[in-house]
Amino acid sequence: MANSTEPQKPQNTKKNKKKGATLDTFYGAKIQNTEQTEDNIKENAPKPSKGNGNSPQTYEEFESEMTKKMEAFWEEKLEIMQKKFTHLQNQFDQTVKENQALKARIRQLEDNDHVKEQESIKQSQNTKKLEENIKYLTDKVIDLENRGRRDNLRIIGLPEKPEINTKLDMVIQDIIKENCPEILEQGGNTATDRAHRTPSTLNPQKTTPRNVIAKFQSYQTKEKILQEARKRQFRYKGMPIRVTQDLASSTLNDRKAWNMIFRKARELGLQPRISYPAKLTIYFQGKVWAFNKIEDFQLFAKKRPELCGKFDTENQRARNT
């Protein structure tokens, strides 16, 4: 047989590479580089054959077709990327708006806190002023009440008997005759406007008698009786009683707070006295010292070796209880 003169197609010595290119995006997709794409185009392009005469035209058509496909591929990917970018841009814009709204809200809250803080400071100042005014008015009322009682004497320890309670005016005159008759001899006005027990009702649970309040017509006579009562122990038919100035209940409580210190000071020979309204005075080292508060006296005693440790009221209360 005659050998065929038909030329055989040259074999492709290179292995065919995988067709199709992928885009390397930020979502994890992969795409081959441009040079590899061009190599694929050239390798997949039909090779010119001898004697066919139309190989250049075939290559151009193939290249044009591949170019169109690549353009379509890139346009599709670009459209997807633009949509995703637009979505991200919208999310970013929304986040910016929310952030601005939060900042505005924070500024508003800070302004509100500042306003509330200023209001709190003003309220504290107003409260302090009100407390000062209340204290001033309370002290004023107590002072007026004490001054309204300036003609009164309080008799403590007078027995709780019907024959005494029904004749308190006469009992007071008997007390004056027994303890300070010189006042009667000098012609002092010892008459009383009224006398009564306090409190008005008797508490059966209490064993001590109620106090007697006597209002004298003469302030001078009342003061003379009070001065004599400070000098010595008063009695009624031989029974010991105590006569003091009648004061408001709050002032009496303030004076009672000095009782333990007063007794100890008297034992030490400090000549203690309780002056109006509730001030303690003592005679120490040739001087008269006055104290309005127990804390002031305790601080004074701690600094004096002669008095240090002798006026520990807390330990005294613990021993008494």
Side-chain angles (χ1 to χ4, degrees):
M1 284 179 72
N3 293 331
S4 174
T5 59
E6 184 179 357
Q8 295 181 356
K9 294 182 180 180
Q11 294 182 354
N12 190 1
T13 58
K14 295 183 179 180
K15 295 181 179 180
N16 291 332
K17 297 182 179 180
K18 294 182 180 180
K19 296 181 179 181
T22 57
L23 176 64
D24 185 6
T25 64
F26 55 87
Y27 289 99
K30 295 182 179 180
I31 184 172
Q32 296 176 349
N33 54 36
T34 306
E35 295 178 355
Q36 185 177 358
T37 304
E38 291 178 353
D39 291 342
N40 291 337
I41 294 173
K42 292 178 179 179
E43 291 176 1
N44 294 324
K47 303 300 179 181
S49 300
K50 295 181 179 181
N52 57 7
N54 57 358
S55 295
Q57 182 66 27
T58 302
Y59 179 80
E60 289 177 0
E61 289 177 356
F62 176 79
E63 185 178 13
S64 176
E65 182 180 357
M66 291 301 297
T67 302
K68 290 179 181 179
K69 289 182 178 180
M70 291 298 296
E71 289 178 354
F73 172 82
W74 283 108
E75 287 177 0
E76 180 182 0
K77 295 300 180 182
L78 181 62
E79 183 179 358
I80 294 173
M81 292 175 63
Q82 286 179 346
K83 289 181 180 179
K84 292 181 178 180
F85 178 78
T86 303
H87 178 69
L88 291 175
Q89 185 67 36
N90 293 335
Q91 287 184 340
F92 176 77
D93 294 341
Q94 183 66 24
T95 304
V96 171
K97 291 180 181 179
E98 292 177 355
N99 189 26
Q100 291 176 350
L102 289 174
K103 287 182 178 180
R105 181 60 178 167
I106 291 172
R107 285 195 297 269
Q108 183 180 2
L109 291 174
E110 289 177 349
D111 294 339
N112 292 339
D113 290 340
H114 181 70
V115 172
K116 290 180 180 179
E117 183 178 357
Q118 295 297 325
E119 291 178 353
S120 177
I121 294 173
K122 290 181 180 179
Q123 289 179 357
S124 299
Q125 293 174 350
N126 293 335
T127 301
K128 185 177 180 180
K129 289 181 180 179
L130 289 174
E131 289 175 351
E132 292 175 353
N133 291 337
I134 290 172
K135 185 179 183 304
Y136 170 78
L137 293 174
T138 301
D139 294 341
K140 191 70 175 177
V141 170
I142 293 172
D143 182 66
L144 290 173
E145 184 178 356
N146 287 331
R147 293 180 184 278
R149 296 169 181 260
R150 64 195 302 269
D151 297 333
N152 298 355
L153 284 178
R154 183 180 288 262
I155 304 172
I156 303 171
L158 197 62
E160 191 85 42
K161 296 180 180 180
E163 59 271 19
I164 295 177
N165 293 342
T166 56
K167 299 178 181 180
L168 287 175
D169 292 337
M170 296 178 61
V171 171
I172 291 171
Q173 297 300 320
D174 293 340
I175 292 173
I176 296 172
K177 290 178 183 180
E178 184 176 351
N179 296 277
C180 46
E182 62 275 9
I183 295 177
L184 295 174
E185 294 173 0
Q186 295 172 2
N189 181 13
T190 60
T192 56
D193 285 338
R194 60 184 177 272
H196 61 87
R197 293 275 186 179
T198 182
S200 58
T201 57
L202 178 63
N203 186 357
Q205 295 180 353
K206 285 191 174 182
T207 58
T208 57
R210 293 173 293 170
N211 296 343
V212 174
I213 306 297
K215 179 177 176 57
F216 287 82
Q217 293 180 355
S218 171
Y219 172 76
Q220 291 77 12
T221 301
K222 187 269 309 183
E223 281 295 311
K224 289 179 181 180
I225 297 171
L226 186 60
Q227 290 174 4
E228 293 296 326
R230 288 171 178 167
K231 295 177 183 178
R232 59 182 181 273
Q233 177 72 61
F234 269 33
R235 295 181 178 275
Y236 173 69
K237 294 182 179 181
M239 293 181 296
I241 60 173
R242 189 156 62 95
V243 178
T244 64
Q245 174 68 47
D246 181 38
L247 296 168
S249 58
S250 58
T251 305
L252 290 175
N253 291 332
D254 292 340
R255 288 193 169 200
K256 286 179 181 178
W258 289 105
N259 284 348
M260 300 180 70
I261 294 176
F262 185 91
R263 289 195 295 268
K264 189 63 178 179
R266 188 162 54 187
E267 292 176 3
L268 297 175
L270 300 178
Q271 302 177 17
R273 286 190 61 185
I274 302 295
S275 57
Y276 181 83
K279 182 188 297 184
L280 174 70
T281 59
I282 60 172
Y283 186 78
F284 179 70
Q285 295 181 347
K287 296 181 181 180
V288 177
W289 304 82
F291 307 93
N292 291 317
K293 296 180 180 179
I294 295 177
E295 293 79 7
D296 296 339
F297 176 81
Q298 290 176 338
L299 183 62
F300 171 83
K302 287 180 180 179
K303 295 180 179 180
R304 272 71 182 178
E306 301 89 340
L307 305 177
C308 184
K310 297 180 180 180
F311 293 92
D312 193 349
T313 56
E314 293 183 359
N315 291 338
Q316 291 178 9
R317 289 194 185 98
R319 287 194 295 269
N320 293 336
T321 54

